[in-house]
CSV table of all heavy atoms in Angstrom, one decimal:
chain,number,residue,atom,x,y,z
A,63,ARG,N,-97.5,36.4,-20.4
A,63,ARG,CA,-96.9,35.4,-21.2
A,63,ARG,C,-97.3,34.0,-20.8
A,63,ARG,O,-97.4,33.7,-19.6
A,63,ARG,CB,-95.4,35.6,-21.2
A,63,ARG,CG,-94.9,36.8,-22.0
A,63,ARG,CD,-93.4,37.0,-21.7
A,63,ARG,NE,-92.8,37.9,-22.7
A,63,ARG,CZ,-92.9,39.2,-22.6
A,63,ARG,NH1,-93.5,39.7,-21.5
A,63,ARG,NH2,-92.3,40.0,-23.4
A,64,TYR,N,-97.5,33.0,-21.7
A,64,TYR,CA,-97.9,31.7,-21.3
A,64,TYR,C,-97.5,30.6,-22.3
A,64,TYR,O,-97.2,30.9,-23.5
A,64,TYR,CB,-99.4,31.7,-21.1
A,64,TYR,CG,-100.2,31.7,-22.3
A,64,TYR,CD1,-100.9,30.5,-22.7
A,64,TYR,CD2,-100.4,32.8,-23.1
A,64,TYR,CE1,-101.7,30.5,-23.9
A,64,TYR,CE2,-101.2,32.7,-24.2
A,64,TYR,CZ,-101.8,31.5,-24.7
A,64,TYR,OH,-102.5,31.6,-25.8
A,65,GLY,N,-97.5,29.4,-21.9
A,65,GLY,CA,-97.4,28.2,-22.8
A,65,GLY,C,-98.2,27.1,-22.3
A,65,GLY,O,-98.8,27.2,-21.2
A,66,LEU,N,-98.2,25.9,-23.0
A,66,LEU,CA,-99.0,24.8,-22.5
A,66,LEU,C,-98.1,23.6,-22.4
A,66,LEU,O,-97.0,23.6,-23.0
A,66,LEU,CB,-100.1,24.6,-23.6
A,66,LEU,CG,-101.1,25.6,-24.0
A,66,LEU,CD1,-101.9,25.1,-25.1
A,66,LEU,CD2,-101.9,26.0,-22.8
A,67,ARG,N,-98.6,22.7,-21.6
A,67,ARG,CA,-98.0,21.3,-21.6
A,67,ARG,C,-99.1,20.3,-21.5
A,67,ARG,O,-100.3,20.5,-21.0
A,67,ARG,CB,-97.1,21.1,-20.3
A,67,ARG,CG,-95.9,22.0,-20.2
A,67,ARG,CD,-95.1,21.7,-19.0
A,67,ARG,NE,-94.0,22.7,-18.8
A,67,ARG,CZ,-92.8,22.6,-19.2
A,67,ARG,NH1,-92.4,21.4,-19.9
A,67,ARG,NH2,-91.8,23.5,-19.0
A,68,ALA,N,-98.9,19.2,-22.2
A,68,ALA,CA,-100.0,18.2,-22.4
A,68,ALA,C,-99.2,16.8,-21.9
A,68,ALA,O,-98.2,16.5,-22.5
A,68,ALA,CB,-100.5,18.1,-23.7
A,69,ASP,N,-99.9,16.0,-21.1
A,69,ASP,CA,-99.4,14.8,-20.7
A,69,ASP,C,-100.2,13.6,-21.3
A,69,ASP,O,-101.4,13.9,-21.4
A,69,ASP,CB,-99.4,14.7,-19.2
A,69,ASP,CG,-98.4,13.6,-18.6
A,69,ASP,OD1,-97.7,12.9,-19.5
A,69,ASP,OD2,-98.2,13.5,-17.5
A,70,GLY,N,-99.7,12.6,-21.6
A,70,GLY,CA,-100.4,11.5,-22.2
A,70,GLY,C,-99.4,10.5,-22.7
A,70,GLY,O,-98.2,10.6,-22.4
A,71,PRO,N,-99.9,9.4,-23.5
A,71,PRO,CA,-99.0,8.4,-23.9
A,71,PRO,C,-98.1,8.8,-25.0
A,71,PRO,O,-98.4,9.7,-25.9
A,71,PRO,CB,-99.9,7.4,-24.5
A,71,PRO,CG,-101.2,8.0,-24.8
A,71,PRO,CD,-101.3,9.3,-23.9
A,72,PHE,N,-96.7,8.4,-25.0
A,72,PHE,CA,-95.8,8.5,-26.0
A,72,PHE,C,-95.9,7.1,-26.7
A,72,PHE,O,-95.2,6.3,-26.4
A,72,PHE,CB,-94.5,8.8,-25.5
A,72,PHE,CG,-93.5,9.1,-26.7
A,72,PHE,CD1,-93.5,10.4,-27.3
A,72,PHE,CD2,-92.7,8.2,-27.2
A,72,PHE,CE1,-92.7,10.6,-28.4
A,72,PHE,CE2,-91.8,8.3,-28.3
A,72,PHE,CZ,-91.8,9.7,-28.9
A,73,ALA,N,-96.7,7.1,-27.7
A,73,ALA,CA,-97.0,5.8,-28.5
A,73,ALA,C,-97.0,6.1,-29.9
A,73,ALA,O,-98.1,6.1,-30.5
A,73,ALA,CB,-98.2,5.2,-27.9
A,74,PRO,N,-95.9,6.4,-30.7
A,74,PRO,CA,-96.0,6.6,-32.1
A,74,PRO,C,-96.7,5.7,-32.9
A,74,PRO,O,-97.3,6.0,-33.9
A,74,PRO,CB,-94.5,6.7,-32.4
A,74,PRO,CG,-93.7,7.2,-31.2
A,74,PRO,CD,-94.6,6.4,-30.1
A,75,ASP,N,-96.6,4.3,-32.4
A,75,ASP,CA,-97.4,3.3,-33.2
A,75,ASP,C,-98.9,3.5,-33.0
A,75,ASP,O,-99.7,2.7,-33.7
A,75,ASP,CB,-97.0,2.0,-32.7
A,75,ASP,CG,-97.3,1.7,-31.3
A,75,ASP,OD1,-97.4,2.6,-30.5
A,75,ASP,OD2,-97.2,0.5,-30.8
A,76,GLN,N,-99.3,4.4,-32.3
A,76,GLN,CA,-100.8,4.7,-32.2
A,76,GLN,C,-101.0,6.1,-32.6
A,76,GLN,O,-102.2,6.7,-32.4
A,76,GLN,CB,-101.3,4.4,-30.7
A,76,GLN,CG,-101.1,3.0,-30.3
A,76,GLN,CD,-101.5,2.8,-28.8
A,76,GLN,OE1,-102.5,3.5,-28.4
A,76,GLN,NE2,-100.8,2.1,-28.1
A,77,GLY,N,-100.0,7.0,-33.0
A,77,GLY,CA,-100.1,8.2,-33.4
A,77,GLY,C,-100.0,9.3,-32.3
A,77,GLY,O,-100.2,10.5,-32.5
A,78,HIS,N,-99.6,8.8,-31.1
A,78,HIS,CA,-99.5,9.8,-29.9
A,78,HIS,C,-98.1,10.0,-29.7
A,78,HIS,O,-97.2,9.2,-29.6
A,78,HIS,CB,-100.1,9.0,-28.7
A,78,HIS,CG,-101.5,8.7,-28.9
A,78,HIS,ND1,-102.4,9.5,-29.4
A,78,HIS,CD2,-102.2,7.5,-28.5
A,78,HIS,CE1,-103.6,8.9,-29.4
A,78,HIS,NE2,-103.4,7.7,-28.9
A,79,ARG,N,-97.8,11.3,-29.4
A,79,ARG,CA,-96.4,11.8,-29.2
A,79,ARG,C,-96.4,12.9,-28.1
A,79,ARG,O,-95.7,13.8,-28.1
A,79,ARG,CB,-95.8,12.5,-30.4
A,79,ARG,CG,-95.6,11.4,-31.5
A,79,ARG,CD,-95.0,12.1,-32.8
A,79,ARG,NE,-94.8,11.1,-33.9
A,79,ARG,CZ,-93.7,10.3,-34.0
A,79,ARG,NH1,-92.7,10.6,-33.1
A,79,ARG,NH2,-93.6,9.4,-34.9
A,80,PHE,N,-97.1,12.5,-27.0
A,80,PHE,CA,-97.2,13.4,-25.8
A,80,PHE,C,-95.8,13.4,-25.1
A,80,PHE,O,-95.1,12.3,-25.0
A,80,PHE,CB,-98.2,13.0,-24.8
A,80,PHE,CG,-99.7,13.2,-25.4
A,80,PHE,CD1,-100.3,12.1,-25.9
A,80,PHE,CD2,-100.2,14.4,-25.4
A,80,PHE,CE1,-101.6,12.3,-26.5
A,80,PHE,CE2,-101.5,14.7,-25.9
A,80,PHE,CZ,-102.2,13.6,-26.5
A,81,ASP,N,-95.4,14.6,-24.6
A,81,ASP,CA,-94.2,14.6,-23.9
A,81,ASP,C,-94.3,15.9,-23.0
A,81,ASP,O,-94.2,17.0,-23.4
A,81,ASP,CB,-93.0,14.9,-24.9
A,81,ASP,CG,-91.6,14.9,-24.2
A,81,ASP,OD1,-91.6,14.9,-23.0
A,81,ASP,OD2,-90.6,14.9,-24.9
A,82,ALA,N,-94.5,15.6,-21.7
A,82,ALA,CA,-94.8,16.7,-20.7
A,82,ALA,C,-93.6,17.6,-20.5
A,82,ALA,O,-93.7,18.7,-19.9
A,82,ALA,CB,-95.2,16.1,-19.4
A,83,ALA,N,-92.4,17.2,-21.0
A,83,ALA,CA,-91.2,18.1,-20.9
A,83,ALA,C,-91.2,19.2,-21.9
A,83,ALA,O,-90.4,20.2,-21.9
A,83,ALA,CB,-89.9,17.2,-21.0
A,84,LYS,N,-92.1,19.0,-22.9
A,84,LYS,CA,-92.1,20.0,-23.9
A,84,LYS,C,-93.2,21.2,-23.7
A,84,LYS,O,-94.3,20.9,-23.4
A,84,LYS,CB,-92.5,19.4,-25.3
A,84,LYS,CG,-91.5,18.3,-25.8
A,84,LYS,CD,-90.3,19.0,-26.2
A,84,LYS,CE,-89.2,18.0,-26.8
A,84,LYS,NZ,-88.6,17.3,-25.8
A,85,LEU,N,-92.7,22.4,-23.8
A,85,LEU,CA,-93.6,23.5,-23.6
A,85,LEU,C,-94.1,23.7,-25.1
A,85,LEU,O,-93.4,23.7,-26.0
A,85,LEU,CB,-92.8,24.8,-23.2
A,85,LEU,CG,-93.7,26.0,-23.0
A,85,LEU,CD1,-94.5,25.8,-21.6
A,85,LEU,CD2,-93.0,27.3,-22.8
A,86,LEU,N,-95.4,24.0,-25.0
A,86,LEU,CA,-96.1,24.0,-26.3
A,86,LEU,C,-96.8,25.4,-26.5
A,86,LEU,O,-97.2,26.0,-25.6
A,86,LEU,CB,-97.2,23.0,-26.4
A,86,LEU,CG,-96.8,21.5,-26.0
A,86,LEU,CD1,-98.1,20.7,-26.0
A,86,LEU,CD2,-95.8,21.0,-27.2
A,87,VAL,N,-96.8,25.9,-27.7
A,87,VAL,CA,-97.4,27.1,-28.1
A,87,VAL,C,-98.8,26.8,-28.4
A,87,VAL,O,-99.3,25.9,-29.1
A,87,VAL,CB,-96.8,27.8,-29.4
A,87,VAL,CG1,-97.6,29.0,-29.8
A,87,VAL,CG2,-95.3,28.1,-29.1
A,88,ASP,N,-99.7,27.6,-27.8
A,88,ASP,CA,-101.2,27.5,-27.9
A,88,ASP,C,-101.5,27.8,-29.4
A,88,ASP,O,-101.1,28.9,-29.8
A,88,ASP,CB,-101.9,28.5,-27.0
A,88,ASP,CG,-103.4,28.5,-27.2
A,88,ASP,OD1,-103.9,27.7,-27.9
A,88,ASP,OD2,-104.0,29.4,-26.5
A,89,PRO,N,-102.1,26.9,-30.1
A,89,PRO,CA,-102.3,27.2,-31.6
A,89,PRO,C,-103.4,28.3,-31.7
A,89,PRO,O,-103.4,28.8,-32.9
A,89,PRO,CB,-103.0,25.8,-32.0
A,89,PRO,CG,-103.4,25.1,-30.8
A,89,PRO,CD,-102.5,25.6,-29.7
A,90,TYR,N,-104.0,28.7,-30.7
A,90,TYR,CA,-105.0,29.8,-30.7
A,90,TYR,C,-104.3,31.1,-30.2
A,90,TYR,O,-105.0,32.2,-30.0
A,90,TYR,CB,-106.3,29.5,-29.9
A,90,TYR,CG,-107.2,28.7,-30.8
A,90,TYR,CD1,-106.9,27.3,-31.0
A,90,TYR,CD2,-108.3,29.3,-31.4
A,90,TYR,CE1,-107.8,26.6,-31.8
A,90,TYR,CE2,-109.1,28.5,-32.2
A,90,TYR,CZ,-108.8,27.2,-32.4
A,90,TYR,OH,-109.6,26.5,-33.2
A,91,ALA,N,-103.0,31.1,-29.9
A,91,ALA,CA,-102.4,32.4,-29.5
A,91,ALA,C,-102.3,33.4,-30.6
A,91,ALA,O,-102.0,32.9,-31.7
A,91,ALA,CB,-100.9,32.0,-29.0
A,92,ARG,N,-102.6,34.6,-30.3
A,92,ARG,CA,-102.6,35.7,-31.3
A,92,ARG,C,-101.4,36.5,-31.4
A,92,ARG,O,-101.2,37.3,-32.2
A,92,ARG,CB,-103.8,36.6,-31.0
A,92,ARG,CG,-105.1,35.9,-31.2
A,92,ARG,CD,-106.3,36.8,-31.0
A,92,ARG,NE,-107.6,36.2,-31.1
A,92,ARG,CZ,-108.7,36.8,-31.5
A,92,ARG,NH1,-108.7,38.0,-32.0
A,92,ARG,NH2,-109.9,36.1,-31.7
A,93,ARG,N,-100.5,36.2,-30.5
A,93,ARG,CA,-99.2,37.0,-30.4
A,93,ARG,C,-98.2,36.2,-29.7
A,93,ARG,O,-98.5,35.4,-28.7
A,93,ARG,CB,-99.4,38.4,-29.7
A,93,ARG,CG,-98.1,39.2,-29.9
A,93,ARG,CD,-98.4,40.7,-29.5
A,93,ARG,NE,-97.4,41.5,-29.9
A,93,ARG,CZ,-97.3,42.9,-29.8
A,93,ARG,NH1,-98.5,43.5,-29.4
A,93,ARG,NH2,-96.4,43.6,-30.1
A,94,LEU,N,-96.9,36.3,-30.3
A,94,LEU,CA,-95.7,35.5,-29.6
A,94,LEU,C,-94.7,36.6,-29.2
A,94,LEU,O,-94.6,37.6,-29.7
A,94,LEU,CB,-95.1,34.5,-30.6
A,94,LEU,CG,-96.1,33.4,-31.1
A,94,LEU,CD1,-95.3,32.6,-32.2
A,94,LEU,CD2,-96.7,32.6,-30.0
A,95,ASP,N,-94.0,36.2,-28.1
A,95,ASP,CA,-92.9,37.2,-27.6
A,95,ASP,C,-91.7,37.2,-28.4
A,95,ASP,O,-90.8,37.9,-28.1
A,95,ASP,CB,-92.7,36.9,-26.2
A,95,ASP,CG,-92.1,35.6,-25.8
A,95,ASP,OD1,-92.0,34.8,-26.7
A,95,ASP,OD2,-91.6,35.4,-24.7
A,96,ARG,N,-91.5,36.1,-29.3
A,96,ARG,CA,-90.3,36.0,-30.1
A,96,ARG,C,-90.5,35.1,-31.2
A,96,ARG,O,-91.6,34.4,-31.3
A,96,ARG,CB,-89.1,35.4,-29.3
A,96,ARG,CG,-89.3,34.0,-29.0
A,96,ARG,CD,-88.3,33.6,-27.8
A,96,ARG,NE,-89.0,33.8,-26.5
A,96,ARG,CZ,-88.5,33.3,-25.4
A,96,ARG,NH1,-87.5,32.5,-25.4
A,96,ARG,NH2,-89.2,33.5,-24.2
A,97,ALA,N,-89.6,35.0,-32.2
A,97,ALA,CA,-89.8,34.1,-33.3
A,97,ALA,C,-89.3,32.7,-32.9
A,97,ALA,O,-88.6,32.5,-31.9
A,97,ALA,CB,-88.8,34.6,-34.5
A,98,PHE,N,-89.7,31.7,-33.7
A,98,PHE,CA,-89.3,30.3,-33.5
A,98,PHE,C,-87.8,30.3,-34.1
A,98,PHE,O,-87.5,30.8,-35.1
A,98,PHE,CB,-90.2,29.4,-34.3
A,98,PHE,CG,-91.4,29.2,-33.6
A,98,PHE,CD1,-92.6,29.8,-34.1
A,98,PHE,CD2,-91.7,28.2,-32.6
A,98,PHE,CE1,-93.9,29.6,-33.5
A,98,PHE,CE2,-92.9,28.0,-32.1
A,98,PHE,CZ,-93.9,28.7,-32.5
A,99,ALA,N,-87.0,29.5,-33.5
A,99,ALA,CA,-85.6,29.1,-33.9
A,99,ALA,C,-85.5,27.6,-33.7
A,99,ALA,O,-85.7,27.1,-32.6
A,99,ALA,CB,-84.7,29.9,-33.1
Side-chain angles (χ1 to χ4, degrees):
R63 291 170 165 82
Y64 76 105
L66 304 173
R67 293 181 190 268
D69 204 358
F72 185 84
D75 59 344
Q76 300 174 39
H78 303 313
R79 295 179 177 274
F80 292 101
D81 186 348
K84 295 287 184 287
L85 189 73
L86 307 172
V87 175
D88 180 3
Y90 279 76
R92 298 185 178 208
R93 189 163 187 174
L94 301 181
D95 68 348
R96 75 196 81 165
F98 287 98

